[in-house]
């Protein structure tokens, strides 16, 4: 079990934020979780500890949005995600921890810049096999490495302007399947050692609290305000990881 107090200072907010996203409040903010935990431990270990906790969140999300999903989109994005997970399982093993820090930093900073400077919404789209397969694969790849599949899959789904519950239900099933499949390569790579599993078990009770907090904030607090705060800190964390990773690579 990890005993460093600074780790829990980073991990508890990270899990709460991810749970809030699973609860339907600001889905994109989940991308901050692994970068935040990576301030205290390696990104690889952070991802391993977080995965069992995500499965608990997925179960709550599936129950909350049961019976609400878009079958046509799932048929497109899930096969693509399996390809992305396979590519991730083969590619991430060749990256050093500093290179992974740089990758996470790039994704975090790019995601913030896209949020701040993205163009106005375009014409409504429908399900598209080519686009869905590509973004599903990207989501599977980024989800495997740092549990950041939300932004790519949002790029594909949001322009369709699905009804909110239908959108959240589709994403709940998508990530539940993705996270269960990720258990296989994570296990084969030895990610679930005693330390990681015990630490995950200790943090597990925070997961449903985060999901319920997401449901509450969805109706009580300005989503715009929360987004601004989370993206600001995500940008700061992303820049720090870029600096730390860059120093490690250059030394």
């Amino acid at each position: 079990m990890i005993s460093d107090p600074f780790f829990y200072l980073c991990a508890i907010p990270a899990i709460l934020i991810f749970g809030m996203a699973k609860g339907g409040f600001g889905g994109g903010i989940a991308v901050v979780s692994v970068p935040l935990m990576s301030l205290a431990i390696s990104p690889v270990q952070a991802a391993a500890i977080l995965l069992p906790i995500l499965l608990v969140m997925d179960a709550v999300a599936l129950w909350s949005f049961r019976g609400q999903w878009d079958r046509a989109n799932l048929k497109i994005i899930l096969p693509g995600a399996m390809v992305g997970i396979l590519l991730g399982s083969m590619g991430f093993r060749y990256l050093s921890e500093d290179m992974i820090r740089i990758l996470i930093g790039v994704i975090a900073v790019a995601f913030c810049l896209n949020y701040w400077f993205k163009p106005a919404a375009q014409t409504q789209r429908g399900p598209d096999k080519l686009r869905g397969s590509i973004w599903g694969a990207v989501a599977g790849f980024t989800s495997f490495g740092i549990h950041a599949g939300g932004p790519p899959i949002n790029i594909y789904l949001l322009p369709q302007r699905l009804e909110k519950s239908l959108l959240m239900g589709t994403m709940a099933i998508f990530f539940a399947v993705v996270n269960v499949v990720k258990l296989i390569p994570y296990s084969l790579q030895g990610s679930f050692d005693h330390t990681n599993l015990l630490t995950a078990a200790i943090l597990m009770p925070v997961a449903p609290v985060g999901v319920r907090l997401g449901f509450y904030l969805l109706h009580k607090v300005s989503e715009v305000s929360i987004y601004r705060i989370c993206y600001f800190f995500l940008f700061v964390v992303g820049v720090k990881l870029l600096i730390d990773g860059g120093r490690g690579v250059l030394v």
Side-chain angles (χ1 to χ4, degrees):
M1 182 188 78
I2 296 176
S3 57
D4 181 10
F6 180 66
F7 164 74
Y8 293 97
L9 188 64
C10 296
I12 291 174
I15 294 168
L16 286 173
I17 289 171
F18 216 122
M20 287 163 54
K22 291 284 187 181
F25 184 82
I29 64 175
V31 74
V32 77
S33 298
V34 171
L36 185 56
M37 292 174 69
S38 297
L39 295 177
I41 58 176
S42 77
V44 174
Q45 187 178 18
I49 290 172
L50 196 53
L51 182 53
I53 299 172
L54 295 187
L55 295 176
V56 174
M57 295 182 186
D58 289 333
V60 177
L62 285 173
W63 173 256
S64 300
F65 299 103
R66 59 192 180 279
Q68 303 178 81
W69 63 80
D70 190 301
R71 188 180 300 272
N73 275 308
L74 286 172
K75 287 181 177 179
I76 295 172
I77 57 180
L78 278 174
M82 299 303 107
V83 174
I85 293 172
L86 179 61
L87 293 174
S89 65
M90 294 187 298
F92 269 85
R93 72 180 67 179
Y94 298 109
L95 299 177
S96 68
E97 289 188 358
D98 286 314
M99 292 175 68
I100 294 175
R101 285 190 177 93
I102 292 174
L103 176 62
I104 295 173
V106 168
I107 292 174
V109 171
F111 192 57
C112 291
L113 294 177
N114 176 71
Y115 172 76
W116 288 328
F117 301 109
K118 66 184 176 183
Q122 303 297 316
T123 305
Q124 181 175 355
R125 298 176 180 267
D128 183 285
K129 189 170 184 178
L130 178 61
R131 290 183 67 254
S133 297
I134 292 173
W135 286 114
V138 174
F141 182 82
T142 56
S143 181
F144 174 85
I146 54 175
H147 305 311
I153 211 64
N154 275 330
I155 291 173
Y156 170 68
L157 288 176
L158 290 183
Q160 298 183 35
R161 300 178 189 173
L162 299 172
E163 189 273 326
K164 186 173 184 178
S165 295
L166 190 65
L167 172 66
M168 294 305 301
T170 301
M171 293 183 69
I173 291 182
F174 176 77
F175 285 111
V177 173
V178 165
N179 287 333
V180 168
V181 172
K182 278 155 52 178
L183 288 172
I184 299 173
Y186 269 56
S187 298
L188 293 175
Q189 293 176 10
S191 298
F192 299 131
D193 59 22
H194 181 266
T195 297
N196 290 345
L197 288 178
L198 186 55
T199 303
I202 290 173
L203 291 169
M204 200 78 72
V206 181
V209 174
V211 177
R212 294 306 303 172
L213 183 60
F215 280 119
Y216 175 80
L217 291 177
L218 185 63
H219 303 290
K220 298 292 184 179
V221 180
S222 167
E223 189 170 354
V224 173
S225 299
I226 296 295
Y227 261 77
R228 287 174 178 170
I229 295 171
C230 286
Y231 278 102
F232 170 76
F233 283 108
L234 176 59
F235 184 80
V236 173
V237 169
V239 170
K240 186 179 188 308
L241 289 173
L242 281 174
I243 294 172
D244 292 346
R247 286 174 177 169
V249 170
L250 294 175
V251 171

